[in-house]
Amino acid sequence: MTNSPIEKYLEDIYKRFIKNNDGQLADYIPELATVDPDRFGLVLATADGQVYKYGDTSDEFTIQSISKPFTYGLAISDNGFDYVDRKIDVEASGDAYNEISLDADTHRPKNAMINAGAITSTSLIRAASSEERYERIRDFFSKFAARDLSLDQAVYNSELETGHRNRAIAWMLKNFDIIEGNPEEVIRSYFEQCSTLVSTEDLAIMGATLANNGVNPISGEEILDSSIVERILSVMMTAGMYDGAGDWMTSVGIPAKSGVGGGILGVLPGQLAIAVFSPLLDRHGSSARGVAAFETISSDLNLHIMNVNKSASSVIKSIYTIDERPSILRRTTDEEEVLDKYGYKAKVIEAEGDILFSGAETLIRESMKDADDIDIFIYDNTLVKSITDGNEEDIVRKMMYEVGEEKLAQGKRVVIVDSSGRYLDNNTNEDIKVFKSTESALQWAEEKILKKYSNPDVNTSSSIVPINDFEFFSNFDEKQIKDFVDLLKPLSYKNGDKIASVGDENKGIYFITKGKVTASKKEGNNSQNYRRITILIAGMTFGEIALASGDKAKFDIWCQADTELLYLSKDAINKMTKENPSLAAAMWKAIALDGYSLFDRTLRQLSSRVEQEEI
């Protein structure tokens, strides 16, 4: 996705920390001491597979200890929880990752993230040989990455020659009957596992698969049962960063695993994964740039897992275009045809709830989808409770406003519906239109579409419409129109006047020649609040449907401007029926056609709403 504000943000993080040269290369593995210390890549992948990246994200490096959560998951998949739990505990150790020790009481490794537990996990992979064991591990990792991964033979040879401490751990595990078989074969598989090549993007996709409950969002393949994913992430949260796990969870708050190859992988369940690669390591054996980047990203985007006071569910309530859900303003037939044809060029994204980063990412992505075909973007925040924490420097807000400003730069129109006014603190761009209600925004968008796409011959709404120009008379001949008009009585009303009330007996048909009226209904018996059902303008009629059905008035009719009407009373209709039955037949035909048109329009709107709710 080009020009995404999320990738721009990752670029800012890259530039902020690329000159941070703290830390050292992992020189205890000779091959790792030769890597370029300036490499730096950042990738964010959502649980549904959207990838944002910046920097050296395709450069390969060895996965090292980030392999541990995945091998642990494969061990559980092969043997079940009970068996694995008899071999590996799930307690935080507080020890360094390569500590040669077991729990004093259980005589088991304290968790699967330290080397003792990880070597045990490797030993539990079902295979007839060490070669088959690694091949199963490599294939498993490849499924998580959605591509075929390979071994870095040089790093493997280097670890094989110098990994004496890990050999000591393997023999200790053998001594306590934690691992079975030949420790040398197990340790070779472990070194191969750690020497598997990945890129930062691979790691992010692997993490996104964990975030997506074990289903790879790229391939769609279910790789692990969700119960195993739950266990993996729980252990990552308490022990993934070794003796720095407490500081990490306090300051960053994302279940994570680091590796001495320079990678760090963090996973937020149900939301996203973040992968960072930079080979200079801090005293805990984690990427120094990576830790700094994670701390900043988590703080900027409010990603701490304990930020539980706000919903992490989808913030998009509905997405529609104005041809699917037009305003309540009745339009002429010609206008409706234009809006039916070009209304898709005005897109409404209706949000709800609390917008955290994952929700903002979804909104931003939806804004950029098919953007070339859209003229007007309407962001409806009516049901939004909050956008992160609302401070002036909030990164998520800035990302969302950047999208709007980018649309303006592309010649698009941007509209925000904000009934509360709480979300516009950062908006200094006067070109972004702001409305208090969705209805006002829809009417404005319709006018813009009509102005741009109507040809000069289209019959558009105007403030005054002569009675002879009403669409109602489209099937009348000239004499019928004259005879009909002779039966009409003129009426005048001021802005704010009430023409009819709910429950009134139907009095006839009203033709609006000037002004505007609204049909409204009280919200509750004792309420003083009215909900507008529709708006009628010059050239339109009302009262004919109730006349045909014999029902009493279902709405209050108010003038929204100084209004001129022509009124056909029931007495006039009765006279017409007796004295000029052909004229009466033409009238009832016009009423039927108008009713059908209204029914068809309403049915299409309802169908669109049902489709959106199903989505």
Side-chain angles (χ1 to χ4, degrees):
M1 183 178 295
T2 59
N3 297 320
S4 166
I6 297 172
E7 289 189 337
K8 291 178 183 176
Y9 171 70
L10 293 179
E11 180 182 0
D12 289 342
I13 294 295
Y14 178 93
K15 291 177 178 177
R16 191 184 314 182
F17 294 110
I18 186 61
K19 294 181 180 179
N20 178 355
N21 293 315
D22 294 343
Q24 296 180 331
L25 296 173
D27 55 5
Y28 68 92
I29 300 175
E31 194 66 26
L32 295 185
T34 65
V35 301
D36 180 0
D38 293 329
R39 290 196 293 171
F40 188 21
L42 303 106
V43 180
L44 186 153
T46 63
D48 61 355
Q50 185 65 45
V51 176
Y52 304 93
K53 55 189 176 180
Y54 192 82
D56 304 314
T57 59
S58 60
D59 288 4
E60 290 187 322
F61 55 94
T62 52
I63 191 170
Q64 297 298 330
S65 289
I66 304 175
S67 65
K68 295 174 181 178
F70 300 97
T71 307
Y72 181 51
L74 181 56
I76 296 173
S77 182
D78 276 359
N79 301 279
F81 285 102
D82 291 343
Y83 186 82
V84 173
D85 288 346
R86 290 198 294 270
K87 299 287 187 177
I88 309 169
D89 290 336
V90 290
E91 301 296 332
S93 68
D95 295 330
Y97 66 93
N98 59 356
E99 187 74 14
I100 304 177
S101 67
L102 299 175
D103 185 88
D105 296 323
T106 66
H107 303 296
R108 294 190 289 258
K110 288 189 175 180
N111 59 70
M113 300 299 108
I114 58 175
N115 288 9
I119 293 169
T120 303
S121 293
T122 303
S123 75
L124 295 175
I125 305 307
R126 295 188 178 277
S129 64
S130 60
E131 291 79 13
E132 182 185 342
R133 182 187 293 115
Y134 174 63
E135 183 54 32
R136 285 201 63 214
I137 292 171
R138 189 196 63 79
D139 180 67
F140 188 66
F141 290 0
S142 296
K143 289 179 179 178
F144 267 90
R147 78 175 184 95
D148 194 41
L149 302 179
S150 61
L151 177 72
D152 187 321
Q153 191 67 45
V155 172
Y156 168 68
N157 291 337
S158 187
E159 293 203 36
L160 199 61
E161 292 172 5
T162 61
H164 308 306
R165 190 177 185 90
N166 283 326
R167 281 193 177 85
I169 293 172
W171 282 102
M172 175 191 66
L173 294 169
K174 176 67 174 177
N175 181 64
F176 283 90
D177 294 325
I178 299 297
I179 64 174
E180 300 173 2
N182 186 343
E184 287 296 328
E185 290 187 359
V186 172
I187 205 66
R188 281 200 296 272
S189 297
Y190 177 71
F191 288 151
E192 287 176 314
Q193 164 190 316
C194 293
S195 301
T196 303
L197 284 166
V198 292
S199 67
T200 319
E201 188 168 350
D202 291 332
L203 277 186
I205 295 300
M206 294 171 80
T209 302
L210 293 176
N212 196 36
N213 277 326
V215 177
N216 188 301
I218 304 300
S219 68
E221 180 181 359
E222 182 177 1
I223 302 169
L224 270 184
D225 184 80
S226 60
S227 63
I228 301 177
V229 173
E230 182 181 291
R231 168 67 71 86
I232 290 171
L233 294 177
S234 298
V235 177
M236 284 174 65
M237 183 165 66
T238 58
M241 301 301 283
Y242 308 124
D243 48 334
D247 287 341
W248 176 270
M249 285 309 299
T250 300
S251 60
V252 178
I254 299 174
K257 188 72 198 76
S258 63
V260 295
I264 302 178
L265 172 63
V267 179
L268 272 180
Q271 297 186 54
L272 53 84
I274 300 171
V276 177
F277 164 61
S278 189
L280 292 174
L281 308 181
D282 63 16
R283 64 185 180 85
H284 298 294
S286 300
S287 169
R289 283 192 194 116
V291 170
F294 258 96
E295 288 175 346
T296 302
I297 292 170
S298 177
S299 175
D300 284 349
L301 306 184
N302 290 302
L303 297 181
H304 199 293
I305 198 170
M306 296 305 173
N307 188 5
V308 295
N309 60 316
K310 298 171 183 176
S311 171
S313 60
S314 174
V315 301
I316 294 183
K317 183 176 187 293
S318 63
I319 300 168
Y320 58 93
T321 53
I322 63 172
D323 59 317
E324 297 170 329
R325 292 197 205 175
S327 73
I328 61 174
L329 179 61
R330 289 282 301 277
R331 298 286 183 179
T332 67
T333 300
D334 286 345
E335 287 176 330
E336 285 187 4
E337 288 179 358
V338 173
L339 292 174
D340 283 345
K341 185 174 182 179
Y342 296 103
Y344 74 92
K345 289 184 171 291
K347 181 178 184 178
V348 181
I349 302 175
E350 184 181 12
E352 64 179 350
D354 298 299
I355 301 180
L356 303 180
F357 171 73
S358 58
E361 183 275 331
T362 304
L363 288 171
I364 290 168
R365 192 195 321 173
E366 191 58 46
S367 298
M368 303 184 79
K369 188 184 297 181
D370 302 323
D372 291 344
D373 292 332
I374 307 299
D375 292 343
I376 302 171
F377 292 85
I378 301 174
Y379 300 96
D380 189 345
N381 291 338
T382 303
L383 299 178
V384 172
K385 295 178 182 178
S386 66
I387 301 177
T388 66
D389 291 333
N391 62 71
E392 190 174 349
E393 297 301 318
D394 190 272
I395 298 297
V396 174
R397 285 172 178 246
K398 286 184 176 181
M399 286 182 183
M400 295 179 71
Y401 284 116
E402 281 179 15
V403 172
E405 289 172 356
E406 182 177 304
K407 299 304 177 195
L408 291 172
Q410 295 169 349
K412 314 291 186 180
R413 305 302 296 265
V414 176
V415 177
I416 295 177
V417 180
D418 181 21
S419 58
S420 67
R422 291 177 296 175
Y423 312 119
L424 301 175
D425 296 339
N426 289 343
N427 179 30
T428 58
N429 194 325
E430 295 181 356
D431 292 328
I432 296 179
K433 295 287 294 183
V434 181
F435 291 95
K436 290 284 189 179
S437 71
T438 307
E439 179 59 30
S440 298
L442 292 176
Q443 290 184 31
W444 179 88
E446 287 175 350
E447 293 298 333
K448 295 300 178 184
I449 295 297
L450 288 170
K451 184 176 180 180
K452 182 172 182 178
Y453 293 103
S454 295
N455 65 55
D457 297 328
V458 165
N459 178 23
T460 58
S461 306
S462 60
S463 58
I464 300 176
V465 177
I467 188 65
N468 289 14
D469 292 341
F470 274 57
E471 290 182 25
F472 186 89
F473 299 114
S474 59
N475 292 311
F476 284 51
D477 59 34
E478 289 185 9
K479 184 177 185 308
Q480 286 177 319
I481 294 175
K482 181 181 182 304
D483 291 344
F484 194 95
V485 171
D486 287 343
L487 297 172
L488 300 178
K489 175 184 176 182
L491 299 172
S492 296
Y493 294 90
K494 294 292 186 182
N495 183 20
D497 285 352
K498 194 175 190 180
I499 300 173
S501 299
V502 172
D504 285 354
E505 293 289 341
N506 180 270
K507 299 175 182 178
I509 306 174
Y510 297 83
F511 296 78
I512 308 170
T513 58
K514 176 185 176 182
K516 184 186 296 185
V517 303
T518 62
S520 306
K521 197 166 187 177
K522 276 188 177 182
E523 294 184 327
N525 293 332
N526 299 319
S527 174
Q528 295 303 310
N529 296 323
Y530 284 83
R531 180 188 174 202
R532 289 192 299 183
I533 306 302
T534 191
I535 301 173
L536 304 174
I537 56 178
M540 296 181 179
T541 61
F542 63 93
E544 66 271 30
I545 303 300
L547 176 69
S549 65
D551 292 339
K552 294 182 179 181
K554 296 184 181 300
F555 307 110
D556 293 319
I557 307 297
W558 299 84
C559 290
Q560 207 173 346
D562 291 349
T563 300
E564 302 289 338
L565 305 175
L566 289 174
Y567 165 57
L568 181 68
S569 67
K570 275 188 173 181
D571 289 341
I573 293 171
N574 291 334
K575 180 181 178 182
M576 180 200 312
T577 302
K578 291 179 181 179
E579 299 178 1
N580 195 343
S582 63
L583 181 60
M587 178 195 72
W588 288 112
K589 181 179 180 181
I591 291 173
L593 289 172
D594 185 61
Y596 173 79
S597 175
L598 179 61
F599 173 77
D600 179 65
R601 185 170 186 251
T602 303
L603 186 62
R604 284 188 286 111
Q605 292 177 36
L606 288 174
S607 297
S608 172
R609 290 172 188 261
V610 169
E611 289 174 4
Q612 288 293 332
E613 289 173 1
E614 289 176 349
I615 291 172

